Amino acid sequence: MKSSRIPGFYKMPIEERVKIVKEFAGLSDEEAEMLLSFCALPKDIANIMIENVVGSMQLPLGIATNFIINGRELLIPMAIEETSVVAAASNAAKMARPDGFKAKATEPVMIGQIQILNPNRDAKEKILEHKDDIISLANAQDKILVELGGGAKDIEAKWLSDDMMVVHLLVDVRDAMGANAVNTMAEAVAPLLEKITGGKALLRIISNLAIYRLAEAEVIYRKENIGGEDVVDRVVKAYEFAVLDIFRAATHNKGIMNGIDAVVIATGNDWRAVEAGAHAYAAMNGYKPLTVWEKTEDGNLRGRIKLPLAVGIVGGATKVHPMAKICLKIMGVKTAKELAEIMAAVGLAQNFAALRALATKGIQAGHMKLHAQNIAVMAGAKGDEIEVVAKKMIEEGKIRMDRAKEILEDIRKE
Ligand code: MEV
């Protein structure tokens, strides 16, 4: 059976890593070459993705190893500019073995909002009376989605003030992120809603607070795998800090999104939508952490995460960007739901890694190596020089540009 536990992956040359990923995921020669090319977005594709294109902005794509999610061994592609995130996720996934993460997601139901101004007093009742007509009209806009088992399923109506009402169209978008389908339906039913309510429809747009499209994950870290019961207690206290203090909660959730966003970006999904959804969800009852950490009866650490994850595997950049296609293939995901489950597990792992580091040796220790390498590169080090300069700065405890330049001069003289 294939395993995502690949000791020493981080030390291998890039070519060797790609070879392993290729075999693990059954990538073609072309796909492996594309990874190695470090320029996977052709000019003509970039030029149809957005307007006024002049280039492409690249991010490093790393692979988090060691993940087991719902019993499946997984390599996770993560696109991110921040050092230590991929290493931290891999390390957290390693400590969760052999059980790994359990994850599940709801059906992919998104909300389309139609704002109605000055409706009649009986508007809410009338909307519910005409529910079937409204749903039929919405579904007439997207026969394919309906054939796939998706489509508009339900309606909600709510007064927001004396002269404003909102109607929610609940749409199962199957494997899409869903904005196109939902916005089209919301626009299509607006004139009918005006007729039914006697009001005027203004905005017709998806909501990024996707409370009906939630993903959850759970993990149990055995105390002996994470440094003992003391570490369990420290992580729980670190979590309680986030529950009690919004300043900490923001950073706690940022750490979770480090992991989730990296997978969202790698798969060509809309990370602004995911961010908006996550933070609005966290704020529904006063801004809170998106995870919960507690000690089990036998002294182990249980973690849970729950958040909206509106991500797709069809449509948008997921199917246009060549690298997004490869990343989806590496994870072998067959449905958007499965992708959301993976992201939830990665977010939970990322949060554990951050809390464990923060509550023990601090976050800076793990950052030093890559930070020193970055400084060495900025000072002009090339090839093998980078490692030598970085190592010397770490040994000296002086990770600064001026020192990097001096060391570089010295080794070049030698
Ligand atoms: C840094 O990108 C993320 C952390 O600040 C998250 C946290 O504090 O939990 C380390």
Side-chain angles (χ1 to χ4, degrees):
M1 200 183 87
K2 64 184 181 182
S3 170
S4 62
R5 173 93 193 92
I6 309 169
F9 189 73
Y10 71 103
K11 285 190 274 189
M12 293 173 188
I14 293 177
E15 289 70 18
E16 183 65 23
R17 293 189 198 131
V18 170
K19 198 165 154 249
I20 289 176
V21 173
K22 181 180 180 223
E23 272 163 28
F24 185 97
L27 300 184
S28 66
D29 291 345
E30 293 73 42
E31 286 165 334
E33 270 162 35
M34 190 162 287
L35 283 170
L36 284 172
S37 74
F38 280 78
C39 58
L41 185 60
K43 208 194 288 182
D44 50 347
I45 296 187
N47 201 32
I48 55 161
M49 285 176 75
I50 64 162
E51 307 75 29
N52 301 359
V53 167
V54 295
S56 74
M57 170 73 192
Q58 302 201 4
L59 288 174
L61 180 75
I63 295 285
T65 54
N66 302 323
F67 272 89
I68 299 177
I69 303 173
N70 293 337
R72 199 154 79 80
E73 298 271 352
L74 276 157
L75 293 180
I76 316 272
M78 302 177 83
I80 187 159
E81 86 298 342
E82 186 176 331
T83 56
S84 304
V85 171
V86 177
S90 304
N91 199 23
K94 185 166 122 194
M95 287 185 266
R97 293 175 78 92
D99 306 323
F101 301 81
K102 285 194 189 69
K104 61 180 184 188
T106 61
E107 294 304 314
V109 175
M110 299 296 295
I111 300 169
Q113 294 197 292
I114 302 107
Q115 176 194 20
I116 311 276
L117 302 180
N118 302 311
N120 298 330
R121 296 321 304 165
D122 61 353
K124 190 168 165 180
E125 294 70 33
K126 282 273 179 299
I127 288 168
L128 297 180
E129 256 170 48
H130 290 86
K131 185 166 143 177
D132 292 346
D133 301 334
I134 302 164
I135 289 177
S136 300
L137 181 58
N139 284 335
Q141 313 306 312
D142 200 333
K143 296 261 165 46
I144 295 177
L145 183 62
V146 175
E147 269 167 30
L148 291 170
K153 303 285 181 190
D154 208 353
I155 301 266
E156 296 172 343
K158 189 168 74 177
W159 284 98
L160 297 178
S161 70
D162 285 348
D163 60 359
M164 193 191 296
M165 162 170 272
V166 63
V167 178
H168 283 178
L169 192 60
L170 309 192
V171 186
D172 182 328
V173 299
R174 296 284 88 198
D175 286 324
M177 183 271 173
N180 268 332
V182 172
N183 293 342
T184 305
M185 289 183 181
E187 289 187 6
V189 300
L192 176 58
L193 287 173
E194 288 182 334
K195 223 163 95 194
I196 294 170
T197 62
K200 181 91 197 91
L202 199 58
L203 302 198
R204 296 139 298 160
I205 186 74
I206 198 165
S207 169
N208 292 121
L209 178 50
I211 55 159
Y212 300 120
R213 194 180 194 178
L214 299 173
E216 289 177 56
E218 184 176 323
V219 67
I220 297 208
Y221 281 108
R222 298 187 200 167
K223 54 181 183 286
E224 62 275 14
N225 285 353
I226 62 171
E229 198 158 339
D230 177 48
V231 175
V232 173
D233 292 332
R234 284 165 180 261
V235 170
V236 172
K237 281 286 166 220
Y239 155 70
E240 283 171 13
F241 180 15
V243 174
L244 296 170
D245 179 54
I246 187 169
F247 291 90
R248 175 58 208 153
T251 324
H252 178 107
N253 288 342
K254 189 273 182 184
I256 293 170
M257 300 314 287
N258 272 347
I260 293 178
D261 283 340
V263 187
V264 174
I265 294 170
T267 54
N269 273 290
D270 181 345
W271 76 92
R272 288 85 54 213
V274 170
E275 280 282 334
H279 292 289
Y281 187 71
M284 280 184 82
N285 299 303
Y287 192 84
K288 288 284 176 291
L290 289 162
T291 52
V292 174
W293 293 97
E294 64 202 1
K295 187 152 111 170
T296 63
E297 272 175 14
D298 34 11
N300 295 323
L301 179 68
R302 180 188 294 116
R304 276 178 283 127
I305 187 170
K306 191 174 188 184
L307 78 167
L309 275 167
V311 290
I313 60 165
V314 297
T318 59
K319 275 283 183 283
V320 175
H321 198 303
M323 199 53 95
K325 287 196 272 185
I326 294 178
C327 289
L328 286 170
K329 188 163 172 183
I330 292 173
M331 290 183 284
V333 287
K334 301 276 182 300
T335 62
K337 219 168 130 181
E338 204 184 333
L339 180 59
E341 289 167 0
I342 291 173
M343 289 172 178
V346 174
L348 187 60
Q350 205 73 54
N351 184 225
F352 168 72
L355 295 188
R356 180 171 178 267
L358 287 164
T360 56
K361 59 186 188 303
I363 206 75
Q364 286 308 91
H367 282 165
M368 277 312 138
K369 185 158 173 247
L370 286 170
H371 176 58
Q373 286 180 352
N374 276 335
I375 299 282
V377 170
M378 282 192 266
K382 303 227 156 41
D384 292 346
E385 291 172 347
I386 300 170
E387 185 69 35
V388 178
V389 174
K391 203 162 162 234
K392 185 113 180 83
M393 285 195 294
I394 292 171
E395 274 163 20
E396 295 176 353
K398 284 185 204 152
I399 301 173
R400 299 192 316 250
M401 183 73 94
D402 56 334
R403 186 60 195 134
K405 285 187 176 152
E406 283 168 14
I407 300 170
L408 192 58
E409 261 177 42
D410 290 347
I411 58 174
R412 283 184 179 167
K413 264 189 229 146
E414 283 164 21

